[in-house]
């Protein structure tokens, strides 16, 4: 069976790219189609992949640096992508990848991290960053993109979401049912790191405003006078660094997994002061026995256990975050319980759940499934699948 993987962009590292890495490990011979790729910035082991950027802007480094500003043009290149000859297409999509055209008789399973945020959920926040004279053109582009996205949502055979909350959003925006498969969470060098509390709090995120409300954390930790370390890169790093002048905040930039393991091992807790859908970083922190301070209205409610692994706060403002950090300082945490909670989201569970979705989708379209679902797990324990796959009927 010929398989292709499709991902929006390979320009930075985050939770979506970690999901893609496991999908590629399940199908190591599959080419990875992506609009644009920063191949020099990819992890070393990814450089052996068959990565196929299909947007003509790939040839221009200067254009790639401004790739987000070109958002209105990407649908035309997604529509033109020729995937004839593939029996199974797996897309990892937070923007455009779910909209690829699939040959007749082929199966397309899309792991939808979210419908486009700046189109459907946070359009007002993003619009505020557009200069006033350009807003009419921006609004027109959004209307056209919204229309394309609705039409594109009819193309996949099956939708998979990363949590129940996102399945409900997919239902509301696309009027499609979605299987829930929690993303895989593991971390290299975890066993080598010496876990101890060095007194600092930690954020691991793409540095993008307004989506990642790191400005709230900067204000809170300035007032608390507690150390905060921030791992990650993004287009708004300079903006956050300006906000953090004079505060006990350190920006570590992009670091490798070995360094990140040491940072996780030394932190007091991970902080997530924004509305996240699921959030892989909080579960990674749990693997090291570290609790989380996070917004209750986010997808953390599905990965964290109130009182055991997390301190929730209920408003996205600095005062609420300060109160939650102070509560975290007062508590005595059970490191073993935190680690056991994280094991619910193993790679083996993800492989098994995705294998069952794929087999089911192939069967629906009339393909003869010659491999049982647990064989997609490459011999890992099927018993670890429990609880990580749910067929949601939300429409």
């Amino acid at each position: 069976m010929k398989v292709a993987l499709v991902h929006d962009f390979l320009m930075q590292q985050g939770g979506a790219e970690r999901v893609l890495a496991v999908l590629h490990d399940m199908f190591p011979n599959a080419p990875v189609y992506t609009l644009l790729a920063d191949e020099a910035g990819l992890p070393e082991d990814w450089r052996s992949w068959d990565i196929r950027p299909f947007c003509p802007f790939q040839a221009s480094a200067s254009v790639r640096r401004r790739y987000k500003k070109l958002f209105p043009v990407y649908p035309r290149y997604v529509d033109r992508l020729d995937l004839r000859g593939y029996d199974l297409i797996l897309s990892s999509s937070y923007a455009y990848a779910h909209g690829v055209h699939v040959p007749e008789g082929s199966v397309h399973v899309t792991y939808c991290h979210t419908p486009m945020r700046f189109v459907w959920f946070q359009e007002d926040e993003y619009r505020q960053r557009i200069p006033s004279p350009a807003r009419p053109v921006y609004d027109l582009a959004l209307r056209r993109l919204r229309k394309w996205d609705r039409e594109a949502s009819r193309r996949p055979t099956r939708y998979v979401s990363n949590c129940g909350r996102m399945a409900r959003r997919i239902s509301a925006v696309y009027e499609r049912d979605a299987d829930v498969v929690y993303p895989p969470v593991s971390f290299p060098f975890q066993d080598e790191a010496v876990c101890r509390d060095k007194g600092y709090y930690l954020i691991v995120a793409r540095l993008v405003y307004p989506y990642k409300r790191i400005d709230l954390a900067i204000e809170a930790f300035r007032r608390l006078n507690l150390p905060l370390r921030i791992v990650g890169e993004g287009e708004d790093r300079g903006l956050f660094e300006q906000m953090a002048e004079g505060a006990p905040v350190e920006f570590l930039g992009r670091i490798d997994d070995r360094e990140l393991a040491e940072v996780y091992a030394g932190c007091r807790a991970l902080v997530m002061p924004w509305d996240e859908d699921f959030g892989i970083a909080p579960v990674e922190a749990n693997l090291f026995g570290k609790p989380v301070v996070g917004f209750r209205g986010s997808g953390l409610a599905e990965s964290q256990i109130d009182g055991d692994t997390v301190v929730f706060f209920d408003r996205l403002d600095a005062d609420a975050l300060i109160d939650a950090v102070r509560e975290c300082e007062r508590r005595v945490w059970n490191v073993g319980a935190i680690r056991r909670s994280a094991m619910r989201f193993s790679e083996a569970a993800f492989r098994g759940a995705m294998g069952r979705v794929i087999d089911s989708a192939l069967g629906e379209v009339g393909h003869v499934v010659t491999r049982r679902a647990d064989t997609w797990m490459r011999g890992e324990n099927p018993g670890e699948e429990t609880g990580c796959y749910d067929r949601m009927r939300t429409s």
Side-chain angles (χ1 to χ4, degrees):
M1 185 169 63
K2 292 194 66 177
V3 181
L5 302 176
V6 186
H7 188 71
D8 296 298
F9 302 98
L10 287 175
M11 302 296 290
Q12 53 192 354
Q13 297 301 299
E17 286 70 38
R18 290 187 182 274
V19 170
L20 175 67
V22 178
L23 291 174
H24 185 269
D25 193 46
M26 293 170 68
F27 300 95
N29 296 321
V32 179
Y33 291 90
T34 185
L35 281 157
L36 296 168
D38 178 14
E39 297 181 13
L42 296 178
E44 186 173 346
D45 57 334
W46 289 28
R47 296 174 192 175
S48 63
W49 296 8
D50 181 3
I51 297 174
R52 304 182 186 183
F54 59 90
C55 181
F57 305 145
Q58 177 68 24
S60 172
S62 62
V63 174
R64 289 203 310 271
R65 284 194 292 270
R66 301 187 294 274
Y67 74 102
K68 289 189 177 180
K69 296 182 179 180
L70 301 172
F71 69 91
V73 306
Y74 293 123
R76 74 175 66 175
Y77 300 112
V78 171
D79 286 342
R80 294 174 184 173
L81 179 61
D82 186 357
L83 293 172
R84 284 177 294 181
Y86 292 105
D87 304 296
L88 172 65
I89 293 92
L90 296 175
S91 63
S92 164
S93 179
Y94 52 85
Y96 308 94
H98 73 119
V100 294
H101 287 280
V102 178
E104 184 176 355
S106 299
V107 169
H108 176 194
V109 175
T110 184
Y111 193 96
C112 183
H113 305 277
T114 178
M116 285 186 251
R117 292 182 176 280
F118 69 98
V119 171
W120 298 107
F121 310 123
Q122 295 178 317
E123 56 268 39
D124 291 338
E125 292 95 324
Y126 282 92
R127 189 177 186 273
Q128 290 173 8
R129 305 189 67 187
I130 304 298
S132 297
R135 286 180 183 174
V137 176
Y138 179 77
D139 292 342
L140 176 61
L142 276 193
R143 287 195 296 271
R144 290 179 174 176
L145 187 53
R146 192 176 289 116
K147 182 176 183 293
W148 176 86
D149 199 39
R150 287 263 195 178
E151 293 173 352
S153 70
R154 302 171 190 154
R155 298 171 188 170
T157 311
R158 290 278 281 272
Y159 269 89
V160 181
S161 66
N162 59 14
C163 61
R165 180 176 187 243
M166 188 49 57
R168 291 186 289 274
R169 284 190 171 182
I170 290 169
S171 176
V173 173
Y174 295 148
E175 298 181 345
R176 295 289 305 267
D177 293 335
D179 301 292
V180 176
V181 176
Y182 292 123
V185 184
S186 64
F187 208 88
F189 313 114
Q190 176 193 347
D191 295 335
E192 301 175 22
V194 178
C195 293
R196 56 179 175 266
D197 181 355
K198 296 183 179 180
Y200 61 85
Y201 286 78
L202 178 65
I203 287 176
V204 179
R206 292 180 174 131
L207 304 187
V208 180
Y209 180 83
Y211 171 28
K212 306 291 187 181
R213 295 302 308 275
I214 296 171
D215 54 308
L216 298 180
I218 291 171
E219 180 184 351
F221 281 84
R222 184 194 304 277
R223 290 162 54 185
L224 287 163
N225 197 30
L226 288 173
L228 173 67
R229 295 186 183 182
I230 299 176
V231 172
E233 282 291 352
E235 61 194 61
D236 293 315
R237 175 173 175 170
L239 172 64
F240 290 131
E241 286 179 328
Q242 289 178 7
M243 295 177 180
E245 288 184 7
V249 177
E250 181 181 2
F251 289 83
L252 303 183
R254 180 183 295 166
I255 60 178
D256 63 30
D257 284 343
R258 187 180 296 274
E259 294 172 299
L260 183 53
E262 293 297 329
V263 173
Y264 272 132
C267 76
R268 178 163 295 170
L270 185 91
V271 180
M272 203 181 78
W274 61 85
D275 186 354
E276 185 65 89
D277 301 318
F278 178 81
I280 288 179
V283 182
E284 288 179 342
N286 293 162
L287 286 171
F288 290 84
K290 305 297 181 173
V292 176
V293 178
F295 176 54
R296 189 188 301 274
S298 69
L300 283 178
E302 294 186 53
S303 71
Q304 303 296 312
I305 302 171
D306 195 0
D308 290 344
T309 68
V310 64
V311 176
F312 283 119
F313 57 96
D314 296 307
R315 302 186 316 277
L316 284 173
D317 61 48
D319 289 334
L321 176 55
I322 287 170
D323 290 342
V325 172
R326 287 173 174 161
E327 176 62 23
C328 182
E329 292 276 296
R330 289 190 291 267
R331 289 193 186 181
V332 177
W333 296 95
N334 185 327
V335 172
I338 293 174
R339 285 176 168 160
R340 286 192 294 274
S341 173
M343 295 309 297
R344 295 176 294 151
F345 307 101
S346 67
E347 283 192 13
F350 176 84
R351 292 172 190 271
M354 283 301 297
R356 295 202 303 278
V357 173
I358 290 166
D359 281 354
S360 175
L362 289 168
E364 286 179 5
V365 179
H367 284 261
V368 177
V369 180
T370 59
R371 297 162 64 175
R372 290 171 47 243
D374 57 4
T375 65
W376 300 112
M377 298 166 59
R378 304 175 81 177
E380 300 195 51
N381 180 11
E384 295 189 41
E385 301 168 17
T386 306
C388 291
Y389 167 60
D390 180 28
R391 179 65 177 156
M392 288 200 65
R393 295 288 180 182
T394 52
S395 61

